Amino acid sequence: MMITKNDTEKRTVFEKSARTVARYPRIFLFASLALATTLSVVGLIAGDFKVEVDNKGWRSRGTLIADREMQVDLMSLNRKKLFEDTDGSYWEYLKNTLSRGYVDLVERDDVYERKLLHQGESRKMLNTRSSRKWGLKDFDPVQSTKRHFRQLLSSRKSSNRQSLLKFDTANDKSRFLALEDTCDVSWYSDYEKVLEEDNTYAIWKVQPGLDTATLSILDKEVMEQICEAEVNTLAIMKEANVCKKCSDGNCLPPHSLVLLLRNKLNDHQSTCKELMNAYTSQVQAEFTAQLYNCTNEYVDNFDSSTLTPGNSPSCPDGFMPNLVDFFFGKDGNTDLRYSGSYFHTYEMDVNDVYKIYRKFDGSDGNVVRGVYDTVEESFNQIYVDELVVSDMGLAIASLGITFCAMLIHTRSPWLTLMGILQIIYAIPLAYFVYVFIAGLNFFPFLNFIGVFVSAALGADYLFVAVDKFKNARIHNRTGSTEDIAGVALPNAAGAMFLTTSTTMVAFFATCICPVPPILCFAVYCGLMIAFNYFMNIALVFPALCLYDIWLQNGSKNCLIAICSNRSVVEDDIEDLEKEDPDHDMQLKLSFIHRLLSGYYAIIHKFKWAVLVASLVAIALCTYYALNLPLPDNTEVRLLPDGHPLELHFKWSGLLLSSSLFSTGTSVQIIFGLKPGDTGVQNDPDTLSKLLIDESFVPREQESQLYLRDFCERLFDQDFTAKQYPEYECAINQFDSWLLEQSSSLSPDDAYVNNCNGASTLPLPEDVFDQCIISWSQAVNNKDVLQENGTVRILIINALASIDLMASIPEIDDEWNRFEKFLKEESNTAPSGTNKFIHASPLWWWFDTNQQMLSTAIGAAGIAIAFSAVVVLFSSRSLILTLFAGVCILYVLAAATATLVGMGWELGFLESICFAILVGISCDFVIHFGHAYIHFPGHVDRHERTKYAVLHMGPSILAAAATTFAAAIVMLFCKVIFFTKFAMILLMTILHATVGSFVVYIVFNDIFGPAEPTKLADKLFSCGKKDDASNSTDEDLVLAKYDVDEKSNLEVTLSSKGEISQNGGENEVEVILFEKSEHYDPIKNA
């Protein structure tokens, strides 16, 4: 028992506050509950709480590329109205008003509506699908963002493409005569409707279990199985009424190789077995040879600029490139491994088809396997929606595990209830600040992922508070609840503040990401971490005081403490000796403390071997972590690789149709727009004002000539091409029109009234605007946009040489080639035309990916730097900071290396998860460092290390086990995002536990300072005199032995050193000594 004069006056504000809480715990608890409930209700109701479960926001904002795309997006959305504006009012509206309403790119005006490639979808199907309830795909950047950018890509195509995508059915030789009596066979001849509408289509792979097939789809046994599967699938469709029917009530047969074979044999009525009887080896050889010649001829004559087939006389009736794979016909290859069958279902409700698609016949799976989806992956999307419900159920179950672990560790339903309330209240309270202080109105579904991180850290806070309080009670068994609270609560609050600050900063550092859902996710998670801390102080601290009061009063209520009547009194772990000098008996330690004590003994015994192993592990993990690759392409998927819907996606990319249609991406060069985004960048519903480049003056004669020659130079580059062969830039079309009109005997009125008889460019400056505007209005060319008789915007359409499936390095290279060319052009362009921009949905998708990757790196750097500062601040030791840095390096390197070994790449989803890794990688080591410096003065490093292990080990192990168990449950989720999130959490906790218990502990045990804060204490006390030489009676410490613990002893120390005793008759032995810098609490005990 240690007593000092004026002890009350020397208490810190935190100790005084803690004692006040312990004095009035009920008041503090009920006041906290009332305030938290009020703010939560206000936040949820007044803040109009709702979760956005659509595809809003998954694109970068505020970057160079994003600023360009925002203006192009805004212009494209309003292009028709701008073109038709006659008095400039709509221009003024867009320039002065912040546009709102997220640009749903399927709602472009009719001229620029979607014209999909081979993943097209009719307007009718859009209307059908609009009634669906969207789910995970719409919040996740995987399905929705990919679809979003496909739509943007297609929306900027020229309207001339549409008419080029169809066959001339009048000249088409395929007649399907045997079906014409009962079925409308025109569908088979319509290239667009078969390949581009959202039909159900099966993809077949022969011998899917083998790396190299020994059979071909064209073999008789394979063709028979495919034929039988198609017949069975048609029967299922017929029963469900989800197919195009013929007059006899049967479904229209699918477009497939079986259909081509029936055409060849003119046999559409026989059974599959009868058809195979007619499919003799000679017919098979002829059929194979015909397909072989047809494929090569088709590829040679295919027009990649218009995506239309050329003349292919060798092809059988109805041949289309979905029937063969990319490898067939190459280098003499006649073995066909992949093929597709298209079923006419695009006029049906896709949800009705989805309900029965699992019944579709995929054959035996050994000889050949078929997998089904639609052209637009609609089954995949709906299935992911359904998985949200089941996976969220598992995620919630993981919370249940967290709550159970809290009960097991605290052995108190009362404290567990307070811990649960702490976690629950953090959710609406964080939302209150999120809306009313941070000013964020967009709440994406992704934010709920943070709830599980918050729950894990919330449990950690509960464990730390409870263990600190119980250890303080063991250290002072006879002290009042106020005494215990004055020691335990500030200590716990300080330890939790350190880990809270590092985790918060890790999440807030992710706010550098310019992608709104990620920014909102980072802010909300950081706020939930903060409110878990605040609510722990507000709820758990007074609850602990009540808990202690009840137990001290002898309560046996199992709702307060389970089996409290059988609990064994545990000795104080701060006494690191084998014997208790006061009671002369062996120390009584709990099972976990005995376990940790034995663990430390092993680590201490083999510390040098463990040190070498740790250094080797750090080196190896760092080496492999640095090999974390970037993804080969920007495609992101949600389902596991082996899922049938995922196989459908992979196999479809191997069909010839996929390779033929992957021919480039739309790029626009735009004069007259200024990059910028004046909207609220974290609110996807806010767009921007239209920013016009006032320096664009095309009427100048020098500018006219530059614009006329620009397109020729552009299309001479090897990385760009015209959207279709007949495409001409608007300025060149206008120049040709001038020549035509000037030589015409009956020129148009637009020319006569506005062009002053000009025959070619350049025109007089006072004539140019009115002439080109009159031409654009006459021919309805919306590439020229005018405001009040002045040309404001000029648009040039081109194609890049790569498509949306290209790798990130390929897209980066392509963007740089465009950027370099256009910068060179800008340097030589006249001043009136030298500020043009280029834009493409491919650039925007690429920029979004790159921002995600750079965010992962930048946020990690910020979090690590801040963690180092916190460790230095908390430990006040450069050596301990160095050890902590080594430990954090191990955690990051080991977790990343593990993921590399699992085949991960640093893609879209992984970047989100890595923010979590950094945030919680340093928590455990901070707890150990805080415990290591507990003793003042000179204390042996081994005793400090052992104390840290025994004092904080139980809390850290409990937190690790809780999070570990919760993450394991989430590994059973089906959606890749959830499983990757769980795996990141799992690996981080695993390696954080190993790093803190092994790496950090062994470094401290070998090299740890005996006086860790000596240097910092000297620096902060610089200028002060030596305490020993100026000591007064107030600095003298009274140490008392052999006093009965239950006596009410009052000792006062006068200024003369006299001692008086009241309230006890025990003999008192008093030793007076000055505080020493080298005071050893163990030796002096």
Side-chain angles (χ1 to χ4, degrees), residues 7 41 179 198 253 480 502 566 618 652 773 904 1014 1073-1074:
D7 183 60
V41 172
L179 289 174
D198 199 27
S480 67
T502 55
R566 296 203 305 259
I618 292 172
S652 65
I773 291 171
W904 280 37
K1014 180 178 180 180
F1073 57 90
E1074 295 183 355

Side-chain angles (χ1 to χ4, degrees), residues 231-242:
V231 170
N232 294 337
T233 299
L234 285 174
I236 295 169
M237 289 181 171
K238 176 184 176 182
E239 182 180 358
N241 196 28
V242 293

Side-chain angles (χ1 to χ4, degrees), residues 184-204:
D184 178 8
V185 297
S186 61
W187 179 69
Y188 297 116
S189 304
D190 195 323
Y191 188 87
E192 182 183 37
K193 287 185 177 179
V194 173
L195 298 185
E196 297 186 357
E197 303 292 3
D198 199 27
N199 293 299
T200 301
Y201 93 101
I203 300 179
W204 308 98

Side-chain angles (χ1 to χ4, degrees), residues 202-306:
I203 300 179
W204 308 98
K205 180 180 181 180
V206 69
Q207 294 178 309
L210 300 179
D211 293 333
T212 303
T214 59
L215 296 174
S216 168
I217 285 182
L218 298 173
D219 290 343
K220 178 183 290 188
E221 62 177 310
V222 180
M223 288 288 286
E224 183 174 2
Q225 287 199 23
I226 293 176
C227 177
E228 295 286 356
E230 289 179 353
V231 170
N232 294 337
T233 299
L234 285 174
I236 295 169
M237 289 181 171
K238 176 184 176 182
E239 182 180 358
N241 196 28
V242 293
C243 62
K244 178 72 173 180
K245 291 188 177 180
C246 302
S247 60
D248 61 0
N250 292 317
C251 293
L252 186 69
H255 183 279
S256 66
L257 283 176
V258 174
L259 180 71
L260 261 65
L261 179 59
R262 290 187 181 276
N263 287 343
K264 177 180 178 63
L265 300 175
N266 195 22
D267 181 5
H268 289 272
Q269 304 299 327
S270 62
T271 65
C272 292
K273 187 162 292 288
E274 292 170 346
L275 180 65
M276 289 303 107
N277 290 335
Y279 188 49
T280 62
S281 56
Q282 180 180 352
V283 174
Q284 178 180 338
E286 293 174 358
F287 190 50
T288 302
Q290 187 179 25
L291 286 176
Y292 176 88
N293 296 329
C294 165
T295 301
N296 287 307
E297 185 178 51
Y298 195 96
V299 172
D300 292 340
N301 297 332
F302 188 81
D303 189 341
S304 60
S305 62
T306 62

